[in-house]
Amino acid sequence: MAYYFDEPSRTFNEYLLVPGYSSKECTQDSVDLATPLVKYKVGEAPAVRMNVPMVSAIMQAVSDDRMAVALAKEGGVSFIYGSQSVENQAAMVKRVKAHKAGFVRSDSNIRPDQTLADIIALKEKSGHSTIAVTDDGTAGGKILGIVTSRDYRVSRTPLDMKVSEFMTPFEKLVYAEDGVRLSEANDILWDHKLNALPIIDKQQRLTHFVFRKDYDSHKENPNELLDRQKRYIVGAGINTHDYRERVPALVEAGADVLCIDSSEGFTEWQKDTLAWVRAEYGDTVKIGAGNVVDKDGFDFLADAGADFVKIGIGGGSICITREQKGIGRGQASAVRDVAAARADYARKTGYYIPICSDGGIVYDYHMTVALAMGADFMMLGRYFARFDESPSARLNINGTYVKEYWGEGSNRARNWQRYDMGGESKLKFEEGVDSYVPYAGSLKENVGQTLAKIKATMCSCGVTSIPDLQNNTKLTLVSATSIVEGGAHDVILKEPGGGVK
C-alpha cells in the first residue's frame, strides 16, 4: 500500500507563535538575524553567512544584477536567474562583483588625444563620471590625468576639444601609492574632500580607484554582505543540463554560491550535477539543491553533497504544479519534516546543512513562523518582484501601479530545463502563470519594515537570535474561526479620507 502521512498538509497560515517571557534586554536593537547560507562542521563557522535570512528567487521577473546589489546592501543574497544564456548570466554576476569594492579597477579609460565627444560617449556607455586618462587608453597604462564632470560643461566646451586640454593633469592629482590600506585611502579622501582617489604604482600606472561613495554606502548600509575583497556576495542559478558549461563560467565570473534550480530535487539528475561539481571543484564551490518536501528528499541531497537544501513544491503564488500534477505538500509541514531530518543528519555526521523555505509566504509574519519551524532562511519571489529593483516592467492598470510577475514554469519564461524529467527539450505544459503584483516601491524601505516586524515578533517570543527562535519558541495550530478573529472584524472600517469602507 501507499504511505500515508499522519497529519494533514499544513500551511504557515495555520500557525501562530505564542509569546514568551521578554526581559528588558530583549529589544529590536539586540536581535541578531545572522544565519548560515552553506554547510559547515558543527562548532565551526560557515564559509558564507548572511546578515538577514532572505534570498531572492531564481526567476526572470525577480533576480538580476540590480536586485543582487540592492539585496546585498541589506545583508541578503540574490540568485541570478539561469534561464538565459551562460554569457548573459556570467555578465550579470561580474557586474555585481564589480559594483562595490574597497579598491575598484578602472573600467572607464581614455587617451589624451581623444575628445569631449568620446568622454560623453564613454560616460553614457559605462555610467561612470570619473574617467582615467592614460597614455594608451587602458586601465594598465601610464596615468596622465583624470576627467570628472567638474572638468567640462557640455553647453560651453566644444565637443572636438582634446581631453588633454581640459583634464586635471597628473601633477595636480592627489593620489596614493600602491599598497596603501583602505582605511588610509579613506582618510585621504576625507582630508582632501575628494570623490575619487587614484592608486598609482611606482611606474605611474593606475592600479585602482577608491571612491568616497563606496565609503558613504557602507555607512548607510551597515548590514551589507561583502566577501573578503569587500565585493558584494552574489548567487546564481544553474540547471541539470548545461552545468558543465555554466558552472565554470559562473565561477570565473565570481559567483559566491550556486543553486540547482528545479521544481523537484529528489532526482538522479541533481545527484549527477552535484557529483560533477564535487569532482571538478571539491568543496571550493558552494552549491545548494532542491526542491524537496520530506526527510527522504533532504537525506538524498545531503548525501549527494548539497551545501544547502531548498524546501517547497507548489506553494509559490504563481506556481500551479499542484493543480497540474497533484504533487507537493503544505509548506509548514514540509519545513517541519525537513528541519527534523536536518537535525538528525547533524547529530549523525557532525555537519549542519542549512535549509531554505521556498514558497508559501503570504504575510510578513509567515517568515518568522518559517524560521521558528527550522528554516535558516527564505527564498522569496513575489515579495521581491514588487520592488523598483526587480527587472520586470512597472505598469498602470486601471489607476493602480503593478509590476509584472511570471513563473519559471510559464510559457513566457520557457524554462523547460527547470521542469524536464527526460525527453524532448520543451515545456510540455505550464506549471506557472503570468500575472501582476502590486507595486510596493523600494527594496530598502520594504525590507527594513519586514525585518522590523520579524525582530518585534522575536522579542515578543523572548528570543534574540534565529537559533534561539528555533529552539525556544512555542507554536499553536489555529482554527478557521480564530484566523477570522485575528483580523479586523465586527467593525465598520474607515477609508483613508474618512469615509466608510
Side-chain angles (χ1 to χ4, degrees):
M1 291 180 61
Y3 176 82
Y4 290 84
F5 288 88
D6 293 332
E7 276 198 359
S9 188
R10 303 285 189 185
T11 67
F12 294 138
N13 212 44
E14 296 178 78
Y15 288 89
L16 286 175
L17 292 151
V18 177
Y21 171 73
S22 300
S23 68
K24 292 180 180 179
E25 288 71 36
C26 194
T27 65
Q28 288 199 37
D29 289 341
S30 66
V31 173
D32 181 6
L33 292 179
T35 193
L37 178 60
V38 296
K39 178 173 65 176
Y40 63 94
K41 192 172 184 179
V42 175
E44 298 181 358
V48 184
R49 181 188 293 271
M50 296 187 293
N51 294 326
V52 299
M54 305 170 79
V55 301
S56 67
I58 309 168
M59 300 176 69
Q60 294 174 8
V62 179
S63 298
D64 63 355
D65 50 302
R66 188 181 178 204
M67 175 63 71
V69 169
L71 185 51
K73 285 182 178 179
E74 303 307 313
V77 173
S78 279
F79 284 85
I80 292 177
Y81 70 93
S83 51
Q84 59 178 320
S85 71
V86 173
E87 294 76 17
N88 286 348
Q89 189 184 21
M92 285 187 181
V93 170
K94 288 180 180 178
R95 288 198 290 271
V96 176
K97 301 306 288 187
H99 185 88
K100 170 71 169 70
F103 295 94
V104 182
R105 291 193 178 278
S106 176
D107 57 2
S108 295
N109 310 283
I110 205 163
R111 298 189 313 274
D113 60 336
Q114 291 182 265
T115 66
L116 176 59
D118 296 319
I119 289 282
I120 294 171
L122 182 57
K123 183 178 178 181
E124 289 179 352
K125 179 181 178 181
S126 67
H128 300 151
S129 58
T130 299
I131 297 174
V133 184
T134 60
D135 59 350
D136 59 1
T138 69
K142 182 178 180 180
I143 188 166
L144 303 178
I146 285 179
V147 173
T148 72
S149 55
R150 297 178 180 178
D151 293 315
Y152 61 88
R153 293 183 67 177
V154 176
S155 60
R156 296 187 179 184
T157 308
L159 292 177
D160 60 353
M161 180 178 282
K162 299 292 185 184
V163 170
S164 58
E165 297 180 47
F166 60 87
M167 70 181 186
T168 300
F170 178 76
E171 55 268 20
K172 292 185 178 181
L173 291 180
V174 176
Y175 62 91
E177 294 185 357
D178 193 26
V180 66
R181 291 183 301 175
L182 183 59
S183 59
E184 295 170 336
N186 282 323
D187 287 342
I188 296 172
L189 280 170
W190 282 95
D191 291 344
H192 293 272
K193 299 179 180 180
L194 303 173
N195 290 322
L197 178 71
I199 310 299
I200 311 297
D201 69 11
K202 292 181 179 180
Q203 284 73 44
Q204 200 179 315
R205 291 193 301 265
L206 176 69
T207 63
H208 298 89
F209 274 113
V210 175
F211 292 100
R212 181 171 181 166
K213 66 180 177 64
D214 288 345
Y215 177 86
D216 293 339
S217 175
H218 178 67
K219 294 300 180 183
E220 293 172 4
N221 302 289
N223 282 332
E224 66 182 354
L225 196 60
L226 306 174
D227 63 17
R228 292 180 179 178
Q229 296 173 275
K230 298 189 179 300
R231 302 174 301 176
Y232 285 130
I233 287 180
V234 61
I238 66 169
N239 61 64
T240 58
H241 293 266
D242 65 2
Y243 56 88
R244 291 178 178 84
E245 295 77 39
R246 193 172 293 271
V247 170
L250 294 173
V251 170
E252 182 180 357
D256 298 279
V257 59
L258 307 176
C259 183
I260 302 173
D261 182 32
S262 175
S263 64
E264 212 276 285
F266 199 174
T267 71
E268 189 172 0
W269 288 277
Q270 292 219 7
K271 181 180 179 181
D272 289 347
T273 303
L274 291 167
W276 183 87
V277 169
R278 293 294 172 241
E280 293 293 319
Y281 297 97
D283 291 328
T284 60
V285 169
K286 305 303 178 184
I287 178 170
N291 287 17
V292 298
V293 294
D294 63 3
K295 172 180 171 57
D296 291 343
F298 171 85
D299 288 343
F300 174 80
L301 291 177
D303 290 340
D307 283 299
F308 66 86
V309 173
K310 226 155 37 90
I311 308 163
I313 294 176
S317 60
I318 41 70
C319 184
I320 54 173
T321 294
R322 296 180 193 175
E323 285 182 26
Q324 295 282 52
K325 296 167 65 177
I327 65 167
R329 195 177 186 190
Q331 192 68 3
S333 297
V335 170
R336 289 183 62 186
D337 196 353
V338 174
R342 186 262 318 279
D344 287 342
Y345 188 88
R347 283 192 292 269
K348 292 176 183 176
T349 67
Y351 284 92
Y352 185 97
I353 299 179
I355 56 177
C356 168
S357 178
D358 179 16
I361 301 293
V362 180
Y363 305 110
D364 285 354
Y365 86 86
H366 289 169
M367 299 186 199
T368 319
V369 172
L371 294 171
M373 288 183 167
D376 295 283
F377 55 97
M378 290 79 58
M379 179 170 279
L380 305 163
R382 180 194 61 86
Y383 177 86
F384 286 114
R386 304 172 300 146
F387 303 150
D388 289 318
E389 293 82 2
S390 74
S392 65
R394 189 182 73 165
L395 307 172
N396 189 317
I397 306 293
N398 298 324
T400 300
Y401 281 105
V402 297
K403 293 208 74 176
E404 294 183 296
Y405 180 46
W406 60 95
E408 289 297 296
S410 67
N411 279 326
R412 179 172 182 174
R414 298 187 179 278
N415 187 4
W416 64 268
Q417 295 96 332
R418 188 177 196 274
Y419 297 87
D420 181 57
M421 297 293 282
E424 295 180 83
S425 299
K426 66 178 183 179
L427 203 64
K428 299 175 180 64
F429 54 88
E430 286 188 288
E431 293 189 44
V433 299
D434 196 348
S435 64
Y436 302 112
V437 289
Y439 168 67
S442 73
L443 179 145
K444 184 177 184 64
E445 181 179 342
N446 283 275
V447 167
Q449 185 179 72
T450 296
L451 296 177
K453 291 179 184 178
I454 293 174
K455 290 180 178 181
T457 304
M458 290 173 63
C459 287
S460 294
C461 294
V463 298
T464 57
S465 71
I466 291 174
D468 282 347
L469 179 70
Q470 294 169 340
N471 295 321
N472 300 305
T473 302
K474 296 177 287 186
L475 294 105
T476 181
L477 272 170
V478 295
S479 67
T481 52
S482 66
I483 293 175
V484 174
E485 180 185 64
H489 60 90
D490 301 314
V491 294
I492 300 173
L493 296 179
K494 294 180 181 179
E495 291 279 11
V500 174
K501 187 174 182 180

